[in-house]
Structures are given as structure tokens and as C-alpha cells.
Amino acid sequence: MAETRRTCVVIPELNEFDQALRCGYKILQTIPTIDQIIVVDDGSKSWHINVPPNVRVLYNHTNRGVGYSLIEGLKNALEEGFDYIITWGAIDRGIDLFSFQILLGLLEQSDVVLTQRFLANYDQETSTRRFAIQLHKWLFKLKTGRHYPDTTIGMRGFRANVLRKLLSTLSSKQPEWFWRYGFEVWLLIQIARSNYKIDFCWTNLAKSTNSHIRVWGKNSFIHLFTPFIKEANID
């Protein structure tokens, strides 16, 4: 008899609470092997719908950043004993349910599964975003010596033991860039430097994002690039 693996999806969001819950509910309804959704609200101003069954909501009282929200969600998933943990943050781009199924299948034989957007998805990005995506991939390869086809997409799958080991090395005191977009890039860098078995799958970003690139400020796009020149605090 095959061993049953418990799976959850962690969704960080800011001012997209209602849509995050709808996406989470749709994931649960479509993919029976996913047991729970953890939505981490990063200080949204308001929401209007009730929380569906098997969806857990964690709240940041103020805007702490997507990295902080992801860490809180991942720690909660580990405490609850989930075996497979998926991170997903493309709420405004539409949901590709088929890619969740593919990713889960690959996790049966891999430690980490990373996703990459279809080539057609690049056409809907602005020229500034396309340049930033390519620059990020190039700097990632320069930093790690590894070529990953997509380093800025937020859908990834992990076995619990991988996350438990990586998160255990982190100090609770981190610079601001780390709590924002820096954590996801730091995590990718640690994976690239490891001997984990990594696999890749495609995901379709059906819509262009409605977010704007901020060059400066606490949620600046610059924080995606900061881990290439600065290190996180390690215990």
C-alpha cells in the first residue's frame, strides 16, 4: 500500500485576500491530493468573503513583506507535519491547476520542483519586466554557476525535510530586503548550492500582472537583486 503524503499550498498575499481564498478553494476542489491551503495576509486593509473549509489564514498586522509572509506560512506547514509544501503567489495572473498536478507528481521523485513560464507568457510582459527577468537569470547563474530557466516565478514545490533544514539555518534578525523579495532568491541560491534532486515543470501565467515595478521603497523590485551582493544572517 502506497504511503499517503500530506500536501499544502502556501499563498502569501497583500490586498488580494478574497481572490486568494477563491483560488485556494478552487485548488482544493480540483486536486484532492492537496489537503490544505495556508493563506498569509500581509496587512490587507479589508476583505469580504468567509474562509472556506481546509483553508487556514495567518495574519500580519502590518505589511511585513512577501518573504516574511512566506516564512510564516512555511513554518506553520512544517509544524502541522505536511510532507509536501507548494508556494504559489501568482494570484493576479490566473491559476494553472494542471501545473499543480504535474508538480506534485514530480515531487514523488525529487526534493525540489521549480517552475518556468511558457515562452508565450513573456510576450505579455512589459519590456522592462522582460529585461529584469533575463538580468535576474544571468546574475543568478553568475552567483551560483547554475542555469535555472526561470528565477523570478513564485510557484515552487518542496519536500518538508528540505525546507526544515534550510529554514533552521536562518537568524530571526534579517535586513529589510530579506523580508521583502530577498527570501525567495536566497532560498533558490541555497538550493542551487546543495545536492538536492531538482526537477522543473511548466506553468502557464494566463494574464499579465497588475502590479507595478517599484524601483525604491520597502517593496522595491531592487530587493529581488540584493541577494546577489549581500548575504542573509545565519545562526
Side-chain angles (χ1 to χ4, degrees), residues 13-22 39-51 57-61:
E13 61 78 28
L14 172 62
N15 296 326
E16 293 180 304
F17 185 80
D18 292 353
Q19 184 62 15
L21 290 189
R22 291 189 188 98
V39 174
V40 188
D41 178 72
D42 194 21
S44 295
K45 296 177 181 178
S46 64
W47 52 86
H48 305 95
I49 65 176
N50 295 324
V51 179
V57 180
L58 307 179
Y59 300 97
N60 299 334
H61 295 297

Side-chain angles (χ1 to χ4, degrees), residues 163-234:
L163 289 172
R164 189 174 292 109
K165 181 177 180 179
L166 293 176
L167 293 181
S168 69
T169 66
L170 284 174
S171 168
S172 60
K173 295 181 179 180
Q174 296 292 343
E176 185 67 15
W177 59 263
F178 186 84
W179 299 128
R180 301 294 166 178
Y181 296 114
F183 167 69
E184 290 184 87
V185 183
W186 174 86
L187 193 60
L188 274 186
I189 291 172
Q190 305 315 304
I191 290 167
R193 289 171 171 172
S194 73
N195 293 318
Y196 294 122
K197 185 177 181 182
I198 303 169
D199 219 326
F200 298 87
C201 71
W202 296 95
T203 188
N204 182 33
L205 303 179
K207 305 174 185 176
S208 59
T209 181
N210 57 21
S211 64
H212 301 286
I213 292 179
R214 295 178 177 87
V215 178
W216 309 111
K218 65 181 183 180
N219 286 315
S220 167
F221 205 63
I222 293 297
H223 296 148
L224 272 174
F225 295 87
T226 307
F228 297 136
I229 57 174
K230 293 185 179 181
E231 297 294 332
N233 295 327
I234 303 299

Side-chain angles (χ1 to χ4, degrees), residues 83-103:
D83 303 291
Y84 296 159
I85 303 170
I86 299 171
T87 61
W88 182 73
I91 299 169
D92 61 338
R93 291 177 174 268
I95 182 169
D96 180 6
L97 293 167
F98 184 64
S99 65
F100 280 88
Q101 296 171 316
I102 298 297
L103 187 152

Side-chain angles (χ1 to χ4, degrees), residues 148-164:
Y148 285 179
D150 205 322
T151 56
T152 57
I153 193 166
M155 183 180 183
R156 302 175 181 109
F158 307 89
R159 289 190 173 217
N161 64 301
V162 173
L163 289 172
R164 189 174 292 109

